[in-house]
Amino acid sequence: MTNLKDWETVIGLEVHAQIISKSKLFSSASTNFGSEPNTQVSLVDAAMPGMLPVINKDCIEQAIKTGVGLNAKINKFSVFDRKNYFYPDLPQGYQISQFSQPIVGEGYIEIDLKDGSSKKIGITRLHLEQDAGKSVHDIEPSKSYIDLNRSGIALMEIVSEPDIRSSEEAQEYVKKLRSILRYIGTCDGNMEEGSLRCDVNISIRKKKFQSRSLLGENILSELGTRCEIKNVNSIKSIGQAIDYEFRRQFDVINSGNEIIQETRLFDEKKGETRPMRSKEEAHDYRYFPDPDLPPLEIDEEWIDKIKKNLPELPDIKKENLINQYKISSYDAAILVSDKSNVEFFDKIITGNKKRNAKNVVNWIIGELFALLNKNNLDIKDSPIKAEELGELIDYIEDQTISGKIAKNVFDEMFKTKKRPKDIIEKKGLKQITDTGEIESLIDKVLNNNKDKVDEYKSGKEKLFGFFVGQVMQETKGTANPGIVNEILKKKLAN
Ligand code: ADP
Ligand code: MG
């Protein structure tokens, strides 16, 4: 018997990222998503005999950019190979890919974890390849259809080292990778539309300290037998598939059996993985260099030029936010995790020195994100625009409204898309800061509650809250709480 706690998961991810480009990797057909089936297919994509692939320079540039964004080595010499297999949506009978000499070599990305630490995950390689078409099985019961629109679109396969140790790390890795791709503009990262797809390789092994103390030798560098879970298509599913697989593999080993290397599927509805094919049935792809394509040579100048023009990446942006606005590393990480978050923040803060960055961040990642999540909305589609949230924050700052009232105004803005000013005016929510007015209100409350005042004075101090509550009720919450507290204290001390 062995204990689940003593085991760890070892995970390596293969991510397929569709390149943003107007035309395909080896043909001039359009890459537009969602067009009528088979309307974006050139003779090359349909694999007509005698057609020759012509490399699309834009796609190469996108791959180099991505390599630079992944802190990786760009290989000046790389080779396109044929990966041979039969599949109805692969008319060539092979996929043009890169095998032993990919365009991008080793790199890394840094991920931020919930406990505040960060970790580097190694990238083994990035190579270019063609996407396949799509088989459509659900139009007629006895027929399958083929749509070749996707056939030949450029993909980057980004392979990680087996450096990932938990579902959290895997999810953070994919999120970070996706955000880098979006910052650089090389892949839109849309997992629902399939432009980012992930294969999860996972094995388990006994944790380090355990093996050392029990056996007195280092068996640690050894990896267990892995399973590969194909095409997991959301961040949530990646987490669930890993957690399920960890448990499953542990149970297999714990009951005295061995893990067999196999490809598995993740069933989203059931939340479990199921075998697809085992290693024995695995393909022999018979890779060989594609005779139609010469090796790819990239010169130093081109790489340098790309490096110089690369947009600011999330890690750098994060550092800049921390230095410029003194916000926490945690807050900055959340902001930069999505380019749209930073843009929203920037719109509120730039040119507005009086706005307090920490406040602005709290409103965005606290209140705004909560409502967006609840309504399943992206920040790009937020009913509250950046300028309007900025105005609301100003009204709190200049004491037009209290922070508590501001939350109500905020909810109302989200529901009605009205400007804060209109809501405050229409509902009479302006804060009362006039001490004279507050004082007379307090007098009224104390007069109406003489018995409670006596109780308070004879030691029942928790009644203080009751008096504050009464004043607030009188003013529908618009009295400035600081002033109310101050005057009440004075009055009750007499
Ligand atoms: P293949 O091309 O057959 O899928 P690779 O050796 O290129 O195999 O590995 C693919 C992915 O699997 C990589 O991300 C790698 O880090 C990961 N990987 C390899 N061995 C293991 C293992 N024992 N446990 C977990 N992940 C692994
Ligand atoms: Mg693989």
Side-chain angles (χ1 to χ4, degrees):
M1 277 298 273
T2 167
N3 201 324
L4 188 69
K5 280 202 320 294
D6 304 334
W7 290 72
E8 66 178 359
T9 33
V10 174
I11 301 155
L13 299 180
E14 291 164 277
V15 171
H16 286 94
Q18 235 176 46
I19 289 183
I20 297 177
S21 67
K22 290 205 183 70
S23 49
K24 297 182 177 178
L25 183 53
F26 299 114
S27 86
S28 56
S30 162
T31 57
N32 195 29
F33 180 80
S35 306
E36 281 291 297
N38 296 311
T39 54
Q40 298 176 169
V41 188
S42 75
L43 295 172
V44 174
D45 310 319
M48 289 300 159
M51 292 297 117
L52 288 175
V54 177
I55 194 135
N56 178 347
K57 197 176 172 191
D58 288 347
C59 295
I60 306 295
E61 174 144 339
Q62 293 287 61
I64 300 174
K65 272 190 189 171
T66 307
V68 175
L70 301 177
N71 311 295
K73 178 168 173 281
I74 310 298
N75 292 326
K76 286 189 204 122
F77 184 90
S78 67
V79 175
F80 287 102
D81 297 287
R82 289 189 182 178
K83 179 180 183 181
N84 299 280
Y85 63 99
F86 170 78
Y87 209 78
D89 58 23
L90 185 76
Q92 286 171 154
Y94 59 85
Q95 176 193 34
I96 305 178
S97 180
Q98 297 189 302
F99 188 55
S100 51
Q101 286 167 285
I103 181 165
V104 176
E106 288 183 353
Y108 68 88
I109 64 180
E110 199 157 341
I111 58 170
D112 297 302
L113 300 168
K114 280 198 198 80
D115 65 6
S117 65
S118 60
K119 177 175 173 178
K120 275 188 184 154
I121 306 291
I123 304 281
T124 316
R125 58 192 268 146
L126 174 158
H127 66 253
L128 277 165
E129 61 187 29
Q130 304 173 289
D131 209 343
K134 258 184 199 160
S135 304
V136 187
H137 304 293
D138 53 4
I139 298 179
E140 274 184 55
S142 59
K143 284 185 181 155
S144 285
Y145 289 81
I146 303 289
D147 175 7
L148 293 180
N149 280 354
R150 205 176 66 182
S151 166
I153 289 185
L155 291 180
M156 298 179 279
E157 176 167 337
I158 302 162
V159 183
S160 88
E161 289 289 296
D163 289 346
I164 299 165
R165 290 288 171 275
S166 66
S167 51
E168 187 205 350
E169 288 183 15
Q171 290 177 311
E172 289 310 317
Y173 171 83
V174 176
K175 282 194 218 161
K176 187 61 174 282
L177 176 59
R178 184 175 62 180
S179 107
I180 293 171
L181 297 171
R182 285 178 172 161
Y183 269 74
I184 323 177
T186 53
C187 169
D188 67 24
N190 193 332
M191 296 184 88
E192 296 95 73
E193 288 177 3
S195 32
L196 194 83
R197 317 194 282 270
C198 185
D199 299 340
V200 179
N201 292 272
I202 165 169
S203 60
I204 68 170
R205 66 178 178 190
K206 276 215 154 168
K207 278 185 192 162
K208 265 185 191 178
F209 61 92
Q210 279 289 334
S211 347
R212 223 179 251 137
S213 54
L214 287 176
L215 303 170
E217 63 186 83
N218 192 355
I219 54 158
L220 299 183
S221 39
E222 270 170 43
L223 296 175
T225 305
R226 79 179 135 129
C227 290
E228 178 170 358
I229 313 167
K230 279 281 179 197
N231 268 325
V232 192
N233 56 17
S234 72
I235 304 269
K236 190 173 155 205
S237 295
I238 291 173
Q240 287 176 341
I242 290 171
D243 291 339
Y244 179 88
E245 206 35 39
F246 178 35
R247 184 76 229 196
R248 185 191 72 83
Q249 293 190 10
F250 174 77
D251 287 343
V252 168
I253 292 170
N254 203 23
S255 59
N257 295 309
E258 276 178 16
I259 300 291
I260 23 175
Q261 185 171 343
E262 62 186 359
T263 309
R264 300 176 71 88
L265 269 180
F266 178 64
D267 181 330
E268 267 175 46
K269 285 198 194 88
K270 295 199 176 131
E272 61 185 35
T273 66
R274 275 200 304 276
M276 248 169 92
R277 54 173 187 252
S278 72
K279 199 188 174 193
E280 284 74 54
E281 304 158 50
H283 293 292
D284 171 8
Y285 293 118
R286 293 170 292 122
Y287 280 99
F288 63 87
D290 191 313
D292 293 338
L293 287 159
L296 185 64
E297 289 185 57
I298 301 167
D299 59 45
E300 190 82 50
E301 276 164 57
W302 194 18
I303 301 175
D304 285 342
K305 201 169 143 212
I306 289 172
K307 277 187 183 158
K308 270 199 207 95
N309 295 319
L310 205 71
E312 194 175 45
L313 289 172
D315 285 340
I316 310 266
K317 180 77 194 170
K318 184 179 149 195
E319 283 309 305
N320 291 346
L321 285 174
I322 295 171
N323 292 334
Q324 190 174 353
Y325 297 113
K326 313 284 171 249
I327 59 177
S328 71
S329 159
Y330 178 82
D331 288 345
I334 295 182
L335 280 185
V336 302
S337 67
D338 185 336
K339 208 176 163 190
S340 318
N341 295 347
V342 184
E343 283 165 3
F344 199 92
F345 172 82
D346 275 340
K347 267 197 200 136
I348 300 183
I349 210 93
T350 358
N352 252 299
K353 287 217 183 72
K354 65 177 189 330
R355 285 182 189 160
N356 174 285
K358 179 69 196 156
N359 266 344
V360 174
V361 176
N362 285 344
W363 274 96
I364 296 176
I365 68 183
E367 307 300 323
L368 184 64
F369 280 8
L371 282 190
L372 290 174
N373 279 341
K374 212 165 123 196
N375 292 279
N376 220 344
L377 283 173
D378 196 272
I379 192 163
K380 283 200 214 82
D381 309 314
S382 168
I384 299 180
K385 299 291 162 232
E387 307 84 69
E388 293 159 5
L389 181 55
E391 282 166 26
L392 180 71
I393 294 170
D394 291 343
Y395 286 130
I396 308 166
E397 207 70 0
D398 69 14
Q399 306 222 335
T400 304
I401 52 174
S402 67
K404 210 165 162 199
I405 292 281
K407 296 239 161 77
N408 300 338
V409 177
F410 181 80
D411 288 344
E412 190 74 15
M413 286 164 71
F414 198 90
K415 260 190 248 144
T416 63
K417 296 191 179 179
K418 285 195 182 130
R419 293 195 94 88
K421 185 165 176 275
D422 298 336
I423 296 168
I424 294 166
E425 273 171 12
K426 194 164 153 248
K427 297 208 156 178
L429 298 174
K430 252 187 140 164
Q431 182 163 236
I432 305 171
T433 47
D434 176 349
T435 43
E437 196 179 339
I438 293 178
E439 190 166 352
S440 59
L441 273 168
I442 289 179
D443 286 341
K444 194 173 139 200
V445 166
L446 296 184
N447 258 325
N448 289 343
N449 295 284
K450 288 210 171 86
D451 47 339
K452 297 246 167 44
V453 173
D454 290 339
E455 278 178 55
Y456 176 88
K457 287 189 172 162
S458 59
K460 209 170 166 192
E461 290 193 355
K462 63 174 188 240
L463 275 172
F464 192 80
F466 164 79
F467 297 121
V468 175
Q470 290 293 306
V471 179
M472 284 306 184
Q473 222 173 36
E474 286 281 327
T475 59
K476 293 208 207 79
T478 58
N480 177 304
I483 303 177
V484 172
N485 272 297
E486 199 182 307
I487 300 180
L488 247 182
K489 256 187 217 139
K490 253 190 243 154
K491 296 249 167 193
L492 288 170
N494 294 331

